[in-house]
Amino acid sequence: MATPSKKTSTPSPQPSKRALPRDPSSEVPSKRKNSAPQLPLLQSSGPFVEGSIVRISMENFLTYDICEVSPGPHLNMIVGANGTGKSSIVCAICLGLAGKPAFMGRADKVGFFVKRGCSRGMVEIELFRASGNLVITREIDVAKNQSFWFINKKSTTQKIVEEKVAALNIQVGNLCQFLPQDKVGEFAKLSKIELLEATEKSIGPPEMHKYHCELKNLREKEKQLETSCKEKTEYLQKMVQRNERYKQDVERFYERKRHLDLIEMLEAKRPWVEYENVRQEYEEVKLVRDRVKEEVRKLKEGQIPVTCRIEEMENERHNLEARIKEKATDIKEASQKCKQKQDVIERKDKHIEELQQALIVKQNEELDRQRRIGNTRKMIEDLQNELKTTENCENLQPQIDAITNDLRRIQDEKALCEGEIIDKRRERETLEKEKKSVDDHIVRFDNLMNQKEDKLRQRFRDTYDAVLWLRNNRDKFKQRVCEPIMLTINMKDNKNAKYIENHIPSNDLRAFVFESQEDMEVFLKEVRDNKKLRVNAVIAPKSSYADKAPSRSLNELKQYGFFSYLRELFDAPDPVMSYLCCQYHIHEVPVGTEKTRERIERVIQETRLKQIYTAEEKYVVKTSFYSNKVISSNTSLKVAQFLTVTVDLEQRRHLEEQLKEIHRKLQAVDSGLIALRETSKHLEHKDNELRQKKKELLERKTKKRQLEQKISSKLGSEMFELKYMKEIWLPINMQLEKEEYFRLFSLKLMEQDTCNLEEEERKASTKIKEINVQKAKLVTELTNLIKICTSLHIQKVDLILQNTTVISEKNKLESDYMAASSQLRLTEQHFIELDENRQRLLQKCKELMKRARQVCNLGAEQTLPQEYQTQVPTIPNGHNSSLPMVFQDLPNTLDEIDALLTEERSRASCFTGLNPTIVQEYTKREEEIEQLTEELKGKKVELDQYRENISQVKERWLNPLKELVEKINEKFSNFFSSMQCAGEVDLHTENEEDYDKYGIRIRVKFRSSTQLHELTPHHQSGGERSVSTMLYLMALQELNRCPFRVVDEINQGMDPINERRVFEMVVNTACKENTSQYFFITPKLLQNLPYSEKMTVLFVYNGPHMLEPNTWNLKAFQRRRRRITFTQPS
């Protein structure tokens, strides 16, 4: 027998968990710093049953680094303080045997069972089998939330593991076999039906639950067959009754049918009569058409000679026009030759005139040369006289140099000033453009702001009036006051406005935001009390929440489709943003997309967010205070009304400040331009004065030299004068024109340049005589060409007259031809009309023939028989209609046929209230009655077979089940009797045939003064439910065919007396021979409890001073304990 050991521990931020080793030689090597040794097995005996757990190994699992547990074959008590890791072993058993994580009630993802901070975990379960133990290993990947399975160290799938586990009758999802800590309360909540199903799976034979399921299916099909037979029987009776009611109507229907057959015959013959009438009309029209066709032929034959004569005239006209064109070509060629001769004569005249003009020019040049020689001599005398009076000007050069330097300096200043003026003008243009751009932005902002204010004025007039009052009285407040939130919020994207308007109530959207309580009281007193305006006001928190970070990073939520928090969707002043974050937690509410809505259940379960927005819906998530269940509700988003217009007030104020700065810069630029223009004007005036002085000095300096050079040029050589003119005189005196210089260039040259006028006149006269001889010859040739051209014109006129005569005759013939053609067209039109009428009548005949054949059911190749008769159908009672009627005996005119049709229709109309569908329905129902009768027989045979099968399966299922329940009841009652209480278990059902309503009912009584009551979650106390659950499980223990059972902390709600009694029963029951393995987990035990030699007690220790596995030595511990015991005084 093992006894609990004491533990000593001190607080540590990183405690480790270990269990005592099973024997001195059993040690587990450490894999990391906080690894743990094996749990101790203090005592074990007895063989393992098939499927019992031999070993449990855990690595990085929940609270364990490394741990290995070796349970015994009978009762295994796992003892340890709360939080040490007892239930972690239960979780390892469940997950290691392919159980669902959600069944543990702790987490729904397997990755959550891996120790925090580790990326992988492992659970390994070794199960006893006579043929060789089965080792199942489950490795858990936290990142992928995925498991990898191994059987005997070989990779496999979860499905194969589940099949192996099920083959050993291990059911970790059955509360009768596996009862974890968080599921203890749910056992009492099991319905009677669920308890029966769990009991069948747990202790019943393998085929018992199968028979039960088969019975439920057979019973369901039996009910369906009974319902089907009942419905078909009722339907068959109704159909028989309905046919009896309509039998007389069917007979009247066939009486009416005889009259309708005669009507049908008359209507069949009427198209033939119509066809014959139209055919006769067609023959008459055809004869008239043939006569008109003959007239058309004769008219066409009479037009043939006229057509031939017109063609001959047309050919003659074409020949004459061709000859006229030839003559016109000859005339054109002769005219061109005349024109060429005239051009040559004109050129000769011009040459004579040029010779005469050249002679006149030479005569004028000689007169001009004589005049220039006289002028030059006079000029030389004047220059010599002026040279004598000219003063000495050699001392003027220093003054000229000084003025030149001043001019250069002024020019530099002017260039600099002009550059500054250009820069100022460009700067002013840039500022004007900026001013216009800012003005446009402000106008757009004003328009948008007016739209928002108009919406506010239309919906909330009092709030709008309060805004106007605030703008005029801002000086009354000490701290910042923000206008209504709907005016100050600026959406970054208008399509997101719906989220803000659905999240913030309308009352707060039109509320003013204050930073000071005193300012808010002043505002409300003035606006509410004095002006009687209904407005809302709120105060921003003292410490700003505007920049408060969300509890979860947006990157973590992007996998669910979230793209932003509400706070990031808009801009607002700091007080407004701080108030909204504090009051409505806009920094914690994410906004998602359609992807979020598609995964909303997963989002709610995994993120635990309180409020969520998807593309078109808002979700509010709450956790129940009592059941801790997650409750969500969703509403559709309303369309945004106020925040669709975006106005950034901060940006508008920035633009106004920017506009003021631009005005200031413009004023500075204008002032600079005025100053620069004055400076430029002053420099220009000074420059003009200096240039004038320089000009005067230069003129004085160069005057003497000019005079000397002029005299030299008039008297000296030509080359010297040219050199002087190029290098000295021209650059100095730019005012003198070049023409005047060349006119006075050289007197000697002009005297040498003489001309012989008489010789020139003789040469010109000789040339003129030669040209006149050539001109006379050309005139003679021109006269001959003119005569030829005149003859050609006369021939052309004669041809034109002949062509006119031919055209006149042709026009007369064409006029006669047109008159005959008109008559032909009228006749042809008449023919066409007659032919169209013939075609129409022919088409009508065909249609009437086709309709008549269709009425008589004749094919396209069949001829109308001599006698056409119709057979009247035979009614079901065997009576026939009257004798057949002969088609030829019917009237042959339309009037007679119409009269007889009217009479027969009147007779047929007397049979009112008859529906043709009645006969069809009557016949159809007769067929259905026969068919239903056969089907009903088959259904009854099938139903009898199902009932026989149910009887057989019921006998195989119910009798063993009753025996099993009786055994459970016997043990359950004995357990309760030993506790001076009463309890019983019975098989309960309301209807013996409703196999899906069978269940196990547990009734208990803990006090002698009360009656037996059914075990429910509400009637008994928690301790009573725990005792009842435990005893029921103990009653199953000896009957159980499952290899092991797990019960976790079921004794927590028991009082000490019941706990002691239950513990004693557990020990006595679980430690018997040939019983399945039993795991009993508890954090504490009462003193002086009875123990069995077959029990195995496993202690779970936890503390910062636990030894590492490689330093733990059980033998040394036992020797030290004996020495302490021996040295103590008796």
Side-chain angles (χ1 to χ4, degrees):
M1 182 178 70
T3 58
S5 302
K6 295 182 180 180
K7 71 165 185 176
T8 59
S9 65
T10 58
S12 173
Q14 194 176 9
S16 62
K17 298 187 177 182
R18 300 185 183 88
L20 294 176
R22 183 173 180 179
D23 55 51
S25 62
S26 61
E27 296 182 357
V28 179
S30 175
K31 291 188 179 180
R32 51 181 293 178
K33 185 175 181 180
N34 292 330
S35 61
Q38 295 175 323
L39 288 169
L41 175 61
L42 298 182
Q43 202 170 16
S44 66
S45 64
F48 287 95
V49 299
E50 192 82 4
S52 296
I53 297 175
V54 178
R55 179 176 57 87
I56 306 168
S57 180
M58 297 167 283
E59 182 178 343
N60 296 330
F61 186 79
L62 288 175
T63 57
Y64 292 101
D65 291 331
I66 298 174
C67 182
E68 184 172 298
V69 180
S70 299
H74 298 292
L75 176 60
N76 291 273
M77 292 192 61
I78 302 176
V79 185
N82 289 329
T84 55
K86 304 183 301 301
S87 297
S88 299
I89 299 174
V90 178
C91 295
I93 296 173
C94 178
L95 296 180
L97 297 176
K100 304 297 181 183
F103 179 72
M104 305 302 300
R106 290 194 172 196
D108 56 352
K109 291 185 177 180
V110 70
F112 291 155
F113 288 87
V114 177
K115 186 173 182 179
R116 181 169 297 182
C118 298
S119 60
R120 298 178 70 90
M122 184 274 290
V123 175
E124 187 172 272
I125 307 292
E126 183 177 353
L127 302 176
F128 176 79
R129 285 194 312 184
S131 60
N133 287 0
L134 180 69
V135 180
I136 300 173
T137 306
R138 181 175 190 171
E139 294 184 0
I140 303 169
D141 189 331
V142 177
K144 298 179 181 179
N145 191 39
Q146 190 176 0
S147 297
F148 303 94
W149 296 90
F150 301 88
I151 293 180
N152 294 332
K153 304 302 180 180
K154 294 181 181 180
S155 179
T156 186
T157 62
Q158 182 174 349
K159 184 177 181 181
I160 295 176
V161 172
E162 291 173 350
E163 292 174 355
K164 294 286 186 181
V165 170
L168 295 172
N169 198 32
I170 298 173
Q171 305 167 20
V172 293
N174 189 341
L175 294 181
C176 290
Q177 179 178 348
F178 197 92
L179 191 62
Q181 178 181 350
D182 296 324
K183 296 288 184 176
V184 172
E186 293 188 12
F187 185 88
K189 297 179 183 178
L190 290 176
S191 65
K192 295 186 286 291
I193 298 172
E194 293 172 338
L195 185 59
L196 172 61
E197 184 177 352
T199 304
E200 285 178 341
K201 292 178 180 178
S202 179
I203 65 172
E207 65 275 6
M208 178 176 288
H209 182 66
K210 176 183 175 183
Y211 288 153
H212 190 185
C213 294
E214 186 178 353
L215 271 177
K216 288 189 284 187
N217 293 333
L218 290 173
R219 175 56 180 162
E220 185 65 27
K221 292 180 180 178
E222 181 189 11
K223 289 180 180 179
Q224 293 175 0
L225 284 172
E226 288 176 349
T227 304
S228 177
C229 290
K230 182 179 179 182
E231 291 174 352
K232 288 184 181 297
T233 302
E234 294 174 353
Y235 183 61
L236 181 61
Q237 292 174 356
K238 290 179 181 179
M239 291 182 69
V240 172
Q241 293 173 1
R242 188 177 299 174
N243 261 16
E244 289 297 325
R245 286 199 304 268
Y246 290 128
K247 187 173 182 179
Q248 186 177 0
D249 291 340
V250 172
E251 292 176 354
R252 293 181 67 245
F253 173 82
Y254 282 108
E255 179 67 23
R256 176 173 175 269
K257 184 72 167 56
R258 284 192 296 273
H259 295 289
L260 294 178
D261 286 342
L262 179 57
I263 293 172
E264 183 180 356
M265 291 295 295
L266 290 170
E267 290 176 346
K269 184 172 182 178
R270 194 177 191 285
W272 291 103
V273 176
E274 289 180 349
Y275 164 75
E276 183 61 26
N277 294 339
V278 174
R279 189 190 64 78
Q280 293 176 2
E281 184 180 357
Y282 166 77
E283 293 294 337
E284 295 174 358
V285 171
K286 186 173 181 295
L287 291 175
V288 177
R289 168 188 169 278
D290 293 340
R291 287 197 301 270
V292 174
K293 183 178 181 181
E294 182 64 21
E295 292 179 10
V296 170
R297 185 186 64 76
K298 291 180 180 180
L299 288 173
K300 286 182 177 180
E301 290 177 354
Q303 281 188 327
I304 292 174
V306 179
T307 304
C308 294
R309 180 59 183 162
I310 290 173
E311 290 177 356
E312 291 175 0
M313 301 296 289
E314 182 67 19
N315 293 333
E316 187 176 356
R317 183 181 68 81
H318 282 304
N319 293 332
L320 290 171
E321 287 180 353
R323 293 174 62 189
I324 290 170
K325 287 182 180 178
E326 291 176 359
K327 295 298 179 183
T329 303
D330 295 340
I331 290 170
K332 184 177 180 182
E333 291 176 355
S335 298
Q336 288 178 350
K337 291 179 180 179
C338 290
K339 181 71 170 59
Q340 291 173 357
K341 297 296 182 182
Q342 288 176 349
D343 292 341
V344 174
I345 292 171
E346 289 177 357
R347 286 198 296 272
K348 296 296 182 182
D349 291 338
K350 188 175 181 182
H351 192 188
I352 292 171
E353 185 179 352
E354 288 175 352
L355 290 172
Q356 292 174 349
Q357 187 67 29
L359 182 60
I360 294 171
V361 169
K362 289 183 178 180
Q363 291 173 350
N364 292 335
E365 287 178 352
E366 180 63 22
L367 292 174
D368 184 62
R369 188 179 67 83
Q370 295 295 332
R371 180 179 54 79
R372 284 191 285 110
I373 290 172
N375 291 337
T376 302
R377 288 174 177 170
K378 186 176 182 300
M379 186 181 296
I380 291 171
E381 293 176 359
D382 293 339
L383 291 173
Q384 289 174 347
N385 292 333
E386 186 177 356
L387 181 61
K388 295 176 181 179
T389 60
T390 303
E391 62 180 353
N392 188 12
C393 300
E394 295 178 357
N395 57 351
L396 296 177
Q397 187 60 41
Q399 297 180 27
I400 293 172
D401 294 340
I403 292 173
T404 301
N405 292 333
D406 292 341
L407 280 172
R408 189 177 296 111
R409 179 179 53 78
I410 289 173
Q411 288 295 331
D412 293 341
E413 292 179 0
K414 281 178 64 179
L416 182 60
C417 185
E418 289 296 331
E420 291 181 357
I421 290 173
I422 292 172
D423 292 340
K424 290 290 184 183
R425 285 176 180 169
R426 290 176 179 170
E427 184 179 357
R428 194 178 193 285
E429 291 175 358
T430 303
L431 290 172
E432 288 290 347
K433 291 180 181 178
E434 291 181 3
K435 178 176 176 294
K436 186 176 184 303
S437 176
V438 172
D439 286 336
D440 293 342
H441 276 81
I442 290 175
V443 169
R444 287 198 292 271
F445 273 116
D446 290 343
N447 292 337
L448 293 174
M449 193 64 189
N450 290 337
Q451 292 179 22
K452 295 185 76 173
E453 292 178 0
D454 286 343
K455 288 185 178 181
L456 180 66
R457 178 173 52 80
Q458 294 170 6
R459 294 292 302 274
F460 309 109
R461 183 58 188 239
D462 288 358
T463 306
Y464 177 75
D465 294 339
V467 170
L468 298 180
W469 180 89
L470 175 63
R471 292 175 180 174
N472 296 327
N473 297 275
R474 286 192 178 275
D475 55 340
K476 294 184 178 181
F477 303 100
K478 297 179 180 179
Q479 296 187 24
R480 185 175 181 184
V481 179
C482 296
E483 293 182 359
I485 294 176
M486 64 181 291
L487 295 181
T488 57
I489 280 181
N490 178 42
M491 298 301 303
K492 296 178 181 178
D493 190 344
N494 293 344
K495 68 181 181 182
N496 295 325
K498 59 184 178 182
Y499 301 119
I500 307 303
E501 290 195 21
N502 280 272
H503 192 73
I504 304 173
S506 175
N507 287 338
D508 270 8
L509 279 177
R510 57 191 178 95
F512 294 80
V513 182
F514 293 83
E515 291 185 336
S516 168
Q517 181 72 27
E518 182 180 353
D519 287 345
M520 186 171 71
E521 292 174 357
V522 171
F523 175 80
L524 294 177
K525 182 177 180 182
E526 183 65 31
V527 176
R528 280 187 182 174
D529 300 342
N530 298 341
K531 294 186 175 294
K532 306 300 181 184
L533 299 177
R534 293 176 295 177
V535 297
N536 295 335
V538 296
I539 187 167
K542 293 181 179 180
S543 57
S544 177
Y545 283 75
D547 298 326
K548 187 175 181 180
S551 59
R552 299 185 65 170
S553 170
L554 185 62
N555 292 331
E556 299 178 16
L557 302 178
K558 284 184 178 179
Q559 59 177 318
Y560 305 108
F562 293 108
F563 63 90
S564 176
Y565 284 103
L566 286 178
R567 181 176 62 185
E568 278 66 43
L569 297 179
F570 64 91
D571 295 323
D574 189 75
V576 175
M577 188 67 78
S578 179
Y579 171 75
L580 295 178
C581 288
C582 178
Q583 185 68 22
Y584 295 106
H585 306 287
I586 58 174
H587 62 293
E588 295 283 2
V589 180
V591 181
T593 58
E594 192 65 25
K595 176 182 176 183
T596 310
R597 190 188 66 78
E598 294 172 357
R599 308 179 179 182
I600 192 62
E601 293 184 1
R602 178 185 168 196
V603 172
I604 292 173
Q605 293 295 330
E606 296 182 4
T607 62
R608 298 293 182 176
L609 293 168
K610 296 182 179 179
Q611 293 189 67
I612 299 170
Y613 283 92
T614 62
E616 297 295 338
E617 292 179 329
K618 174 184 179 181
Y619 288 83
V620 178
V621 182
K622 298 180 180 179
T623 303
S624 173
F625 182 77
Y626 299 100
S627 63
N628 204 29
K629 291 183 178 179
V630 176
I631 303 171
S632 64
S633 62
N634 65 307
T635 55
S636 298
L637 298 181
K638 299 177 182 177
V639 180
Q641 298 178 352
F642 302 110
L643 302 181
T644 53
V645 179
T646 302
V647 180
D648 193 342
L649 296 179
E650 290 295 332
Q651 188 175 355
R652 190 186 186 284
R653 282 195 289 271
H654 176 70
L655 289 173
E656 289 177 350
E657 294 173 359
Q658 189 176 349
L659 186 61
K660 291 179 182 178
E661 181 65 19
I662 291 172
H663 280 299
R664 186 187 63 76
K665 289 181 179 179
L666 280 172
Q667 292 176 358
V669 170
D670 290 339
S671 301
L673 277 173
I674 293 171
L676 288 171
R677 288 193 183 102
E678 289 296 330
T679 303
S680 179
K681 186 176 181 182
H682 175 71
L683 292 172
E684 184 69 25
H685 178 69
K686 192 172 182 180
D687 181 83
N688 292 336
E689 289 179 353
L690 291 172
R691 286 183 182 275
Q692 187 63 29
K693 288 180 181 180
K694 183 178 180 181
K695 182 180 179 182
E696 292 174 357
L697 291 173
L698 287 172
E699 287 176 353
R700 288 169 60 191
K701 179 179 179 181
T702 60
K703 187 172 183 181
K704 181 179 179 180
R705 185 178 295 177
Q706 289 174 1
L707 291 173
E708 292 174 349
Q709 295 300 328
K710 284 182 179 179
I711 294 170
S712 176
S713 66
K714 300 303 178 185
L715 298 176
S717 65
E718 181 179 1
M719 294 306 294
F720 173 80
E721 293 300 328
L722 283 171
K723 181 178 180 182
Y724 176 80
M725 286 293 293
K726 292 180 180 178
E727 296 179 357
I728 301 172
W729 190 80
L730 276 177
I732 295 174
N733 193 4
M734 295 299 293
Q735 287 77 14
L736 265 165
E737 297 181 357
K738 293 182 181 180
E739 291 81 4
E740 184 178 358
Y741 163 74
F742 287 107
R743 185 173 59 82
L744 303 176
F745 182 69
S746 176
L747 180 60
K748 291 180 179 180
L749 291 176
M750 287 187 291
E751 289 176 347
Q752 294 173 0
D753 188 15
T754 59
C755 180
N756 190 351
L757 291 175
E758 293 179 356
E759 181 65 22
E760 295 294 332
E761 289 176 355
R762 185 184 62 78
K763 291 179 179 179
S765 177
T766 302
K767 289 182 179 179
I768 289 172
K769 287 180 181 179
E770 293 176 356
I771 292 172
N772 284 331
V773 172
Q774 297 174 2
K775 183 179 175 183
K777 184 178 179 180
L778 290 170
V779 170
T780 303
E781 294 176 356
L782 177 62
T783 303
N784 294 332
L785 288 172
I786 290 172
K787 289 179 181 179
I788 295 171
C789 187
T790 303
S791 174
L792 290 173
H793 274 291
I794 292 170
Q795 295 175 10
K796 179 182 176 183
V797 170
D798 185 44
L799 290 173
I800 290 172
L801 290 174
Q802 292 179 22
N803 187 40
T804 303
T805 304
V806 171
I807 290 173
S808 176
E809 293 179 2
K810 177 177 172 288
N811 289 340
K812 183 179 179 182
L813 288 173
E814 286 179 347
S815 177
D816 296 341
Y817 179 79
M818 291 299 293
S821 297
S822 176
Q823 179 64 29
L824 178 61
R825 281 196 300 273
L826 292 174
T827 307
E828 285 179 341
Q829 183 66 30
H830 188 206
F831 171 76
I832 291 170
E833 292 175 356
L834 289 172
D835 191 63
E836 289 177 352
N837 191 20
R838 182 189 68 82
Q839 292 289 345
R840 180 181 58 79
L841 291 173
L842 179 60
Q843 185 65 28
K844 189 174 181 181
C845 284
K846 291 180 180 179
E847 292 175 356
L848 290 173
M849 173 66 76
K850 182 178 180 180
R851 184 156 62 89
R853 287 181 175 277
Q854 288 177 349
V855 171
C856 297
N857 293 325
L858 293 176
E861 303 297 331
Q862 291 178 299
T863 58
L864 185 67
Q866 294 296 324
E867 293 183 354
Y868 184 84
Q869 61 185 16
T870 181
Q871 296 292 336
V872 180
T874 303
I875 59 176
N877 59 9
H879 299 287
N880 293 329
S881 60
S882 60
L883 295 175
M885 302 182 65
V886 181
F887 187 66
Q888 288 80 0
D889 294 340
L890 297 176
N892 294 321
T893 63
L894 290 176
D895 294 337
E896 293 175 349
I897 290 174
D898 291 341
L900 187 56
L901 273 173
T902 302
E903 180 181 352
E904 290 300 320
R905 285 170 180 164
S906 299
R907 291 179 180 178
S909 64
C910 295
F911 296 91
T912 59
L914 297 178
N915 192 343
T917 58
I918 292 176
V919 179
Q920 298 175 4
E921 292 176 357
Y922 181 88
T923 306
K924 185 177 179 181
R925 275 194 295 271
E926 286 290 330
E927 296 173 356
E928 288 183 0
I929 288 171
E930 184 177 356
Q931 183 178 357
L932 277 174
T933 303
E934 294 297 325
E935 288 181 3
L936 193 56
K937 290 180 181 178
K939 291 286 183 182
K940 288 181 179 179
V941 171
E942 186 179 359
L943 181 59
D944 292 339
Q945 292 177 353
Y946 268 102
R947 285 173 177 168
E948 184 178 355
N949 292 337
I950 288 173
S951 177
Q952 295 173 359
V953 176
K954 180 181 178 182
E955 184 178 356
R956 290 196 295 268
W957 170 74
L958 189 57
N959 293 335
L961 178 61
K962 288 181 178 179
E963 295 176 2
L964 182 63
V965 173
E966 184 61 32
K967 293 178 181 179
I968 296 172
N969 178 51
E970 179 182 354
K971 295 185 177 295
F972 187 76
S973 300
N974 292 337
F975 288 145
F976 262 87
S977 298
S978 65
M979 296 177 60
Q980 286 77 44
C981 299
E984 68 176 32
V985 177
D986 61 356
L987 188 63
H988 178 266
T989 183
E990 296 178 357
N991 184 359
E992 188 176 354
E993 301 300 326
D994 291 338
Y995 304 107
D996 55 344
K997 300 294 177 63
Y998 273 76
I1000 289 181
R1001 181 175 58 180
I1002 300 176
R1003 295 192 297 169
V1004 296
K1005 181 178 72 171
F1006 287 90
R1007 286 166 289 277
S1008 58
S1009 59
T1010 60
Q1011 299 293 326
L1012 286 170
H1013 289 284
E1014 186 175 347
L1015 181 64
T1016 64
H1018 311 292
H1019 190 275
Q1020 288 79 16
S1021 65
E1024 292 173 346
R1025 290 198 301 273
S1026 297
V1027 170
S1028 303
T1029 301
M1030 195 66 185
L1031 295 183
Y1032 184 79
L1033 295 178
M1034 294 306 303
L1036 301 181
Q1037 178 67 15
E1038 295 182 359
L1039 303 173
N1040 197 358
R1041 63 183 183 87
C1042 63
F1044 64 86
R1045 176 174 286 105
V1046 177
V1047 179
D1048 189 0
E1049 296 191 16
I1050 197 171
N1051 59 336
Q1052 291 303 296
M1054 300 181 189
D1055 57 68
I1057 298 174
N1058 287 332
E1059 183 178 357
R1060 185 176 297 277
R1061 292 173 177 173
V1062 169
F1063 184 83
E1064 185 176 346
M1065 294 178 190
V1066 170
V1067 172
N1068 294 334
T1069 304
C1071 292
K1072 291 181 179 180
E1073 292 293 336
N1074 299 323
T1075 59
S1076 60
Q1077 196 177 32
Y1078 201 100
F1079 290 89
F1080 186 85
I1081 294 90
T1082 179
K1084 50 87 179 178
L1085 290 172
L1086 299 176
Q1087 295 182 357
N1088 300 321
L1089 291 174
Y1091 295 93
S1092 171
E1093 292 294 333
K1094 296 181 180 180
M1095 287 176 57
T1096 301
V1097 182
L1098 303 171
F1099 291 95
V1100 180
Y1101 286 94
N1102 178 4
H1105 301 293
M1106 298 294 292
L1107 294 176
E1108 294 294 335
N1110 55 1
T1111 60
W1112 173 260
N1113 191 325
L1114 182 60
K1115 290 182 178 180
F1117 175 77
Q1118 291 172 339
R1119 287 196 301 270
R1120 192 181 306 112
R1121 180 62 183 172
R1122 283 195 295 270
R1123 284 199 301 269
I1124 295 172
T1125 304
F1126 294 153
T1127 56
Q1128 287 179 351
S1130 58

